Amino acid sequence: MAKPNLLIIGAGGVGQVTVNKAAQFRNDFGTITLAARNAEKLERIAGEVQERWSRPGEKQLVATRTVDARSVEAVAGLIRELDAGLVLNVASPYCNAAILDACIATGVDYLDTALGEEEFVENIPPNWYERIEWPRREKFAARGASALLGMGFDPGVVNIFCAHARKHCFDSIASIDIIDVNAGSHGLYFATNFDADVNLREIKEDVITWENGRWETIPHHSASMDVALPEVGAHRVYSMGHDELQSLAVNFPDTPHIGFWMGFGEHYLKVFDVLDNLGLTSSIPIEVDGVKVAPNRVIKALLPDPASLAAGYTGKICIGADIRGMKDGKERRIFIWSNCDHEENFREVGGQSISYSTGIPVITAARLMASGVWKPKTMVNVEELDPDPFLKLMPEVGIDWEIQDLPLDGSWPWPAEV
Amino acid sequence: MAKPNLLIIGAGGVGQVTVNKAAQFRNDFGTITLAARNAEKLERIAGEVQERWSRPGEKQLVATRTVDARSVEAVAGLIRELDAGLVLNVASPYCNAAILDACIATGVDYLDTALGEEEFVENIPPNWYERIEWPRREKFAARGASALLGMGFDPGVVNIFCAHARKHCFDSIASIDIIDVNAGSHGLYFATNFDADVNLREIKEDVITWENGRWETIPHHSASMDVALPEVGAHRVYSMGHDELQSLAVNFPDTPHIGFWMGFGEHYLKVFDVLDNLGLTSSIPIEVDGVKVAPNRVIKALLPDPASLAAGYTGKICIGADIRGMKDGKERRIFIWSNCDHEENFREVGGQSISYSTGIPVITAARLMASGVWKPKTMVNVEELDPDPFLKLMPEVGIDWEIQDLPLDGSWPWPAEV
């Protein structure tokens, strides 16, 4: 089987990590091309990759191309020009529809890390995958092309943790709680770790959880719990709507409770609440001095570029799944998780851990797709695939994972202070 | 002496109070016309005034005209059409230059309540009156027309309090501290009491105080003191740059210290600090999705219309001057102040106390100008005029004032809790 040429679309923080890791594992791929709007960013990243990964005398590892990733024609043209066999979409979620259609048009494999979104809307009712992605499943199947949806960390690895739990740890699963804590500090007053308008919207939107076969909705930040996680210690986490709930609800139909929790500190909540109370987190354009502008885009324009946070970031993240169920007639509770360290990740590839923990799963999956191990020849959410080869390979690409039985009383065995 | 026809420009909160009070004291004036951009607002206010002040069978008290108050030609044309003799400028401070020039062109008397401003700039160095107002003084003098600058409460009445103190209470003045506390509550999360972009800018700008013949500059909210004032009790007030400092520094050249202090509550400061730290109080346009927009204009677009606050406002304001100096060879300290009650003011004219306390001095001064008592036939800041007739007339128009000797140790004799 020929090694596929890789087309990586997106030159933000995740794109940078992804192309670094693609270059490190270049033996698994054909040519590697990084494409995005901004030629300057592309050149900078490609130059850094060359410096970091090339052996003396080795030719240019990564080619670059500017592209309008919201144009089906432009992306399909680039796929054909490069004879790409696998497209890694790490661009803005506003580009998903066009990139999917370009892959359908050319019959090549596809992978992304987040649900597609539309601009200037909010509080879309579930199921979100039914808007952009799943209606295109049959077209991928008809072309015999594979599309892996939501293959970052969360969604992505956490879905695979759930698949692992189902395969190896439980006879039946009663509840899944995905927990995401970033205990790092970027040292700035306020910043988002990825696209500000996408991030602020997902935090401000109504919270959905899957309860006994239906969606329940509550206001954002209205439900919280205190946890103590490996390497990051005690944190308060808040119930939040998140991509992976959408597919887990469908793929774990017998699980009564599926929720997602994210950690927020007091300062973050203070700033967010002010913005939210004043209407500044809104995606809906308003008129200002005769022009239309979405308030959350104004915030985005004022906040630091998420990729720029990496150099000063310290501390760790912990993302995992707290899963309860029955095994051999007994109740069981496990936590299955990974940690990343912002400083270590920056030293390795120049990115912070939020980008790193998204890019590592992308390249882990890309290697499995390139070698034919993961080749569903249709569109899947990643919990539908065999978790074993992924969880075996991910540590080699850059992130370890662990699993531990937890007390059934809901307590946490890790120290509050780290 | 014929009664002058009044042209009131501006239909915001202050305009509404001003035209109500003009109608109440209509015997002192010829015709009364309210002009602004928004025809709907004009009709609503004129209708309310008719209902509130007309006797049975009395003809329309207030005429209305739409006008572009930033156009010298439009304003001058309206002055001529109405044969106006006195223009009360209670419009946005961005209109001051055009309205001043229209009065010069037509030779009619003028009054305003705030320094003229330019859009999309900030932290202009003192003296602010030298930008728009004072360079036009000679032109008013040449026409024999009177222009009263800063004739609201602060600036305005507080300047007159200083003139009263100099005339009646002190042989020499060592320090003047203007103190402005709004102890009212509008019940909303956050709102400004007048034009949001003008208000946020004056709060965010560097603080200036006049110290021993020169301006000293410190960051906003970096100096505070605790006071206890009549009818509003204990409040923390923060040093702030403000219009009246600019003219008092010139007109009280022998006073070593002149400062301005405004009360801010913890919630207000929290919200303001978030906005300020994120760059949202800035007047300088930024690019958002291909259009240029000033962040503070986005905030303005999202905040409630200040005039809309009036109906739900409760509590009182206290604005006064804490003045120290020598009298008959002895140290003396006085406080000279007014209180207003938001609910009382709303019942009387449909406006909150911030608007009320600005509109009452406007009509008090307009009555003095109409009767020829105040007729400088040049441009003046109001502390240059005889304070006695003004302070005698203001209670009849709607606001009482009081004066009291204070302890020399800097303490306050009023109870902290009210």
Side-chain angles (χ1 to χ4, degrees), chain A residues 95-146:
Chain A
C95 307
N96 283 20
I99 300 175
L100 281 162
D101 284 342
C103 289
I104 292 166
T106 54
V108 305
D109 292 348
Y110 169 92
L111 172 164
D112 68 30
T113 69
L115 266 153
E117 302 208 34
E118 291 164 90
E119 296 183 279
F120 311 126
V121 296
E122 55 192 41
N123 277 327
I124 301 296
N127 189 304
W128 302 336
Y129 280 113
E130 280 167 2
R131 293 172 64 81
I132 293 174
E133 287 81 6
W134 290 348
R136 291 171 165 86
R137 184 189 290 134
E138 291 308 316
K139 292 183 180 171
F140 272 92
R143 298 292 308 238
S146 302

Side-chain angles (χ1 to χ4, degrees), chain A residues 19 30 108 131 165 235-236 267 290 298 322 330 358 400:
Chain A
V19 73
V108 305
R131 293 172 64 81
H235 288 271
R236 182 159 292 175
H267 173 73
V298 177
D322 177 8
K330 282 196 271 191
T358 309
D400 290 326

Side-chain angles (χ1 to χ4, degrees), chain B residues 9 67-78 94-95 97-99 101-102:
Chain B
I9 305 179
V67 69
D68 173 5
R70 301 194 198 193
S71 159
V72 179
E73 293 69 32
V75 176
L78 189 56
Y94 303 128
C95 306
I99 299 176
D101 284 342

Side-chain angles (χ1 to χ4, degrees), chain A residues 120 189-190 270-271 273-275 277-280 286-289 291-293 295 297-299 301-303, chain B residues 120 189-190 270-271 273-275 277-280 286-289 291-293 295 297-299 301-303:
Chain A
F120 311 126
Y189 179 76
F190 189 78
K270 179 187 85 169
V271 174
D273 284 350
V274 168
L275 297 180
N277 273 299
L278 294 178
L280 284 158
I286 59 169
E287 188 168 318
V288 179
D289 290 340
V291 301
K292 287 270 190 179
V293 64
R297 297 297 186 95
V298 177
I299 303 300
L302 290 167
L303 291 181
Chain B
F120 312 127
Y189 179 77
F190 189 77
K270 179 186 86 168
V271 174
D273 283 350
V274 168
L275 297 180
N277 272 300
L278 294 178
L280 284 157
I286 59 168
E287 189 167 317
V288 179
D289 290 340
V291 301
K292 287 268 189 179
V293 63
R297 296 297 186 94
V298 177
I299 302 301
L302 290 167
L303 291 182

Side-chain angles (χ1 to χ4, degrees), chain A residues 320-386:
Chain A
D322 177 8
I323 303 176
R324 290 166 176 269
M326 299 297 290
K327 179 67 175 176
D328 301 327
K330 282 196 271 191
E331 267 196 275
R332 188 178 189 192
R333 176 181 171 222
I334 63 161
F335 192 56
I336 175 168
W337 79 94
S338 294
N339 292 109
C340 289
D341 180 300
H342 288 290
E343 285 178 279
E344 274 177 25
N345 297 160
F346 181 71
R347 273 196 299 275
E348 189 190 326
V349 294
Q352 32 91 336
S353 293
I354 311 299
S355 304
Y356 189 86
S357 66
T358 309
I360 296 300
V362 167
I363 290 300
T364 305
R367 294 179 68 192
L368 295 175
M369 294 175 85
S371 63
V373 174
W374 268 7
K375 204 78 176 176
K377 298 193 174 182
T378 183
M379 175 184 280
V380 296
N381 291 83
V382 295
E383 64 270 30
E384 299 176 62
L385 298 168
D386 180 4

